Amino acid sequence: MIGILFSILGFIIYKGIGVISWEFITEMPKDGMTKGGIYPAIIGTLCLIGGSIIFAFPIGVMSAIYINEYTKHGYFRSFIQLMTSNLAGIPSIVFGLFGMSLFVNQLGFGDSILAGSLTLGLLVLPIVIRTTEEALKAVDDNFRQASLALGATKLQTIQRVTLPIALPNILTGLILSIGRVSGETAPILFTVAAYFLPKLPTSIFDQVMALPYHLYVISTSGTNINDSRAMAYGTALVLILIVLILNLTASAVRRYLSKKNNIN
Amino acid sequence: MKKLIGNLIQGLFLISSTVTTLTVLLIVFFLFSEGLSMFKESPLEGENILAVHSNNKVKTVSAEQIKNIFDRKITHWSEIGGSADSIILFTSQDFDTYFNADDLGPKFEHLPRKIDSLINSTPGIIAVFSSRYIPPHFRGKLIEVSNVSLNSFMSGREWFPTAHPAVQLGVLPLILGTLWVSLIAILIALPIGLATSIYMAEVASVRMRNLLKPVIELLAGIPSVVYGFFGLIIIVPMIQDIFNLPVGETALAGSIVLAIMALPTIITVSEDALRNTPRAMKEASLALGANRWQTIRRVVIPYSISGIAAAAILGIGRAIGETCFGHSVRLALS
């Protein structure tokens, strides 16, 4: 069973490693996406990651702080928690449709990085909120009470005591949500992704190419599926590498910071 | 002053925490408002209208009847409550066969008049044309196309949102396809996932577990489009070979990809559930002389069955929502 999962990884690494080269990462796609590189797709994915994190991270963390530090156990709190888990359970394609009807059509952003980032941000908001909440819950109440007893206000306690202790786990959640953003195809399908656009975005109202959608396009509906197969292996490998590196960084950050906190 | 800032920031936190709630409500609102408009709009494509001879008794037709008429499955008006005339089709593609270009004029300015006289002279005609060409003193009769009803939407067997001249919106094959694919996926994924989680929770050594657990969590993070790509490259041709099919993109291929996608979630959640079994219960069972397998089957699994069910639902639920696993499932649904 583990074998199946490993064989997937191994197969894609084996087929993709030969495709990846410096040119593959830094050149525009050429000849109907059968030659050249995936540079615009990588840049597009980075733009989307940045945009969605700028939106989702502050709101998610503030939301979790409010839920965990300010509300008492009660209807309001459980209602917000229920809605957060509801949001987490919504299929990603529905986020795509919602993003299209609200951001692209109603608010008139068009197919743009802005619309795509907001959609992806909403998608990962529940992940950020939940991991931050868990991180805050794990902070020992003695710390809070000690800080309050020394005359610090609630805000000072959160700022100086609770957040620094919870930071490693919050960062882990952040990195995990970046991994999720970089791999999602359905939400960007209707909101930002361009089928073929060999230039870099100049503003947040531009369309971009993105890695997952690029892979989807060249493996199912490219101009010449057989010729672009090698490109598909390479794209898949780059995508997996980004996600794996982010996940490994997450666990490394968590280990490093929690060790540091223990010494203090 | 300090208190004011504190209150302000608390307000900011409060606003942030309502964002998720607002989003859920907005999503529900948008899905309903966009979805309901489907039931209000005419299934006729674009600005087309449907016209018949003025003596025709038929007043409304449904989208399904239009499709059958244009597929020549309904050939007489008597079949949908009209006279005994046989049905004669007229669409914009037939402009050339009925009229010659000189009659119509360079900018089609005579087209409305021609359509009018054609409809008036042919009792069995049904004409589809753009509302731009409706004649000023039209002697024929416009008939209405009944809107898509909830009933026909849920039980309709045809899903052709781009059909001409009337779209066919029946969601039944999509629902049945989803149910079939996910049922087979559960049947494949649950035994394998359960076996792996039992191995990890009860049999494997600590070192093995510490090795496997992070790997499986990594696999849970692989983008669904990569799994779909893998399915398209490996599983689809494999199924084509094994069963000698003309195309391998079947419900079975989709189910296998879904099962693989769901496995990491199923394994992690059900392993947690299995490990929550109190040690005392396991030891009591072993002390009574049961061997390890009997203990797992009679004590550990019954104790954690709710967690295992949750694992299956979570895993498949995540996978069903994903649409991007290549063509395999999409074709199975249509």
Side-chain angles (χ1 to χ4, degrees), chain B residues 76-222:
Chain B
H76 289 86
W77 284 109
S78 52
E79 287 173 60
I80 49 174
S83 58
D85 291 320
S86 64
I87 297 176
I88 298 165
L89 301 180
F90 176 79
T91 65
S92 53
Q93 282 128 28
D94 300 328
F95 284 178
D96 292 345
T97 48
Y98 282 95
F99 321 118
N100 62 45
D102 296 337
D103 287 353
L104 298 179
K107 288 178 186 162
F108 295 110
E109 60 262 32
H110 302 306
L111 183 60
R113 209 160 40 80
K114 289 280 173 191
I115 292 176
D116 186 38
S117 56
L118 178 73
I119 290 175
N120 202 35
S121 59
T122 331
I125 200 167
I126 179 164
V128 178
F129 53 91
S130 164
S131 56
R132 274 180 298 156
Y133 297 133
I134 190 160
H137 303 289
F138 189 45
R139 286 170 290 171
K141 189 174 77 170
L142 294 179
I143 54 175
E144 294 191 351
V145 182
S146 52
N147 288 346
V148 181
S149 67
L150 188 64
N151 191 22
S152 74
F153 179 64
M154 295 304 286
S155 63
R157 290 174 180 280
E158 310 236 15
W159 177 257
F160 288 114
T162 54
H164 183 82
V167 295
Q168 302 293 314
L169 299 174
V171 87
L172 188 66
L174 279 76
I175 295 177
L176 284 180
T178 309
L179 288 182
W180 262 116
V181 169
S182 32
L183 185 71
I184 302 175
I186 291 179
L187 289 182
I188 299 173
L190 199 56
I192 304 179
L194 197 54
T196 316
S197 54
I198 289 175
Y199 171 77
M200 282 176 61
E202 300 290 328
V203 185
S205 63
V206 179
R207 250 182 89 189
M208 193 67 185
R209 221 185 77 81
N210 285 344
L211 192 74
L212 284 180
K213 185 111 184 166
V215 170
I216 288 179
E217 273 164 10
L218 280 187
L219 288 168
I222 290 184

Side-chain angles (χ1 to χ4, degrees), chain A residues 1 5 8 11-12 62-63 66 70 79 98 101-102 129 155 180 183 185 216 219-220 229 232-233 243 247, chain B residues 9-10 13-14 16-17 20-21 27 30 192 196 218-219 221 223 225-226 229 232-234 263 267 327 330:
Chain A
M1 146 57 227
L5 296 171
I8 295 182
F11 175 77
I12 289 186
M62 288 197 292
S63 170
Y66 188 80
Y70 286 93
F79 178 71
F98 168 70
S101 67
L102 178 64
I129 292 179
L155 190 61
R180 181 87 195 273
T185 317
Y216 179 67
S219 58
T220 59
R229 184 111 310 161
Y233 287 125
V243 175
N247 281 338
Chain B
I9 291 181
Q10 184 178 348
F13 288 163
L14 173 62
S16 314
S17 69
T20 50
T21 312
I27 288 180
F30 267 91
I192 304 179
T196 316
L218 280 187
L219 288 168
V225 67
V226 174
F229 176 62
L232 193 71
I233 302 282
I234 301 292
L263 268 177
I267 292 174
H327 275 294
R330 225 173 46 193

Side-chain angles (χ1 to χ4, degrees), chain A residues 100-130:
Chain A
M100 183 183 68
S101 67
L102 178 64
F103 299 127
V104 176
N105 295 337
Q106 297 281 334
L107 297 181
F109 295 153
D111 279 357
S112 61
I113 297 179
L114 183 60
S117 302
L118 288 175
T119 313
L120 285 172
L122 289 179
L123 180 81
V124 294
L125 200 54
I127 303 178
V128 177
I129 292 179
R130 203 171 296 162

